[in-house]
Amino acid sequence: MNAQRRPSANPLRSSLVRHLLVVCFAATLLAACGKTDGPAALVPVEIDRSTSCTLDGMLLADYPGPKAQIHYADRAEPDFFCDTVEMFAIYFKPEQVRQVRTLFVQDMGKADWAEPRDNWIDAKAAWYVHGSSRHGSMGPTIASFALEGDAQKFATEHGGKVVAFADVTPAMAVLDGGVLHDQGM
């Protein structure tokens, strides 16, 4: 029995479909061959007993409250901060021209306030409590949380206002430790 080719109803359409399939297949192969996830995904670096603050050399492990780290595009190691206020103060400085790749803070909904370890979260996705009665290494601090509910609970217990990263202002990140407002000196 002879197999006869049945003429296509629209030869131009068939050719176009084949061409598009070949182009899509080639594009997929090229994308897969050259695919990279860009720069290596950044992960927080855990602090140890010798990790010191970039600003003042204080040992982070010696002080309570949330810690922070900034990862820059031009450095492999992050800058560490013994307080979130310090991180925000540096991040907001107008003369800060280094490209920030990411920022991490500790989730105080999980970390022990007196000795925070681990529990790093993306600072830009975190919730913050400004103006609470809890202090960090330099006095008043901005407590950081992964969950808005944890931040609300903290604010109910310790005072302060819950804000998202985008709502933290330079005025909230003053590095005077409250000393300028201390009338008891």
Side-chain angles (χ1 to χ4, degrees):
M1 192 169 181
N2 267 359
Q4 291 184 355
R5 293 188 92 180
R6 194 171 141 205
S8 173
N10 186 345
L12 181 60
R13 184 175 176 197
S14 294
S15 175
L16 183 59
V17 169
R18 276 194 307 271
H19 181 72
L20 284 174
L21 287 173
V22 168
V23 168
C24 288
F25 181 71
T28 302
L29 285 177
L30 285 173
C33 289
K35 185 173 182 165
T36 63
D37 292 327
L42 291 175
V43 295
V45 177
E46 189 50 54
I47 61 173
D48 60 29
R49 296 290 314 155
S50 66
T51 306
S52 62
C53 178
T54 300
L55 294 180
D56 54 25
M58 292 172 55
L59 296 176
L60 274 64
D62 289 348
Y63 298 94
K67 310 298 181 242
Q69 52 188 276
I70 298 177
H71 293 252
Y72 294 103
D74 63 346
R75 291 194 50 220
E77 292 298 313
D79 280 354
F80 290 98
F81 302 93
C82 53
D83 197 294
T84 54
V85 174
E86 292 175 331
M87 177 202 70
F88 279 114
I90 295 301
Y91 183 73
F92 287 137
K93 276 190 172 188
E95 61 271 17
Q96 163 62 294
V97 295
R98 293 169 67 190
Q99 182 184 0
V100 173
R101 289 182 64 200
T102 194
L103 305 104
F104 292 106
V105 293
Q106 290 177 305
D107 178 4
M108 299 314 290
K110 293 181 179 176
D112 176 7
W113 190 274
E115 293 183 34
R117 300 286 183 269
D118 303 316
N119 301 298
W120 294 100
I121 56 174
D122 177 355
K124 291 185 176 183
W127 292 91
Y128 297 91
V129 178
H130 176 261
S132 80
S133 62
R134 297 297 304 261
H135 285 194
S137 65
M138 302 302 286
T141 191
I142 302 173
S144 48
F145 298 88
L147 303 174
E148 184 179 14
D150 288 344
Q152 291 290 355
K153 180 181 176 199
F154 181 87
T156 299
E157 294 173 7
H158 303 286
K161 178 181 176 186
V162 176
V163 294
F165 180 88
D167 298 322
V168 177
T169 67
M172 295 175 178
V174 177
L175 290 176
D176 63 17
V179 73
L180 298 178
H181 308 289
D182 186 356
Q183 301 300 315
M185 292 183 77

